Amino acid sequence: MKPTGLILAIACLGFGGGSEAAETVLTADFLIVHAADAPPTVAFAAQELRRVLARGMGTALQVVHEAPDARALRLVSDDALPHDGFEIRLTGDGV
């Protein structure tokens, strides 16, 4: 029997300077999102994330360029990050 979900423990920084753990259960309805004009490193990271999660979940998440209201893992690259850097950011019900 293949697993249907994967639990990610995400460290969240509180306003008081402490840290607390949150859990998000990844299911097949999550998407992996990155901008259409993202650097090649971000597109590669999205495909690698898809591959690694598929091994743990037993199903591959879809990689898309836009999904404003979807539960998603969002890979973001901006000028505040080092060259070829990216972050996976928490947005809404997704990560």
Side-chain angles (χ1 to χ4, degrees):
M1 181 173 172
K2 291 186 177 182
T4 58
L6 181 68
I7 298 177
L8 285 181
I10 302 166
C12 300
L13 296 178
F15 289 107
S19 65
E20 52 189 68
E23 288 184 353
T24 298
V25 178
L26 292 181
T27 55
D29 64 326
F30 269 77
L31 300 172
I32 297 173
V33 180
H34 68 83
D37 62 347
T41 53
V42 174
F44 177 77
Q47 292 301 322
E48 283 295 288
L49 182 59
R50 179 180 193 261
R51 183 184 64 79
V52 170
L53 291 177
R55 290 187 71 179
M57 297 175 63
T59 186
L61 301 179
Q62 185 178 7
V63 177
V64 298
H65 299 299
E66 292 184 27
D69 298 325
R71 295 175 55 168
L73 296 162
R74 300 182 190 281
L75 281 68
V76 179
S77 178
D78 62 33
D79 293 336
L81 299 170
H83 177 69
D84 288 341
F86 67 91
E87 295 179 341
I88 300 175
R89 294 187 180 163
L90 177 65
T91 57
D93 288 338
V95 178

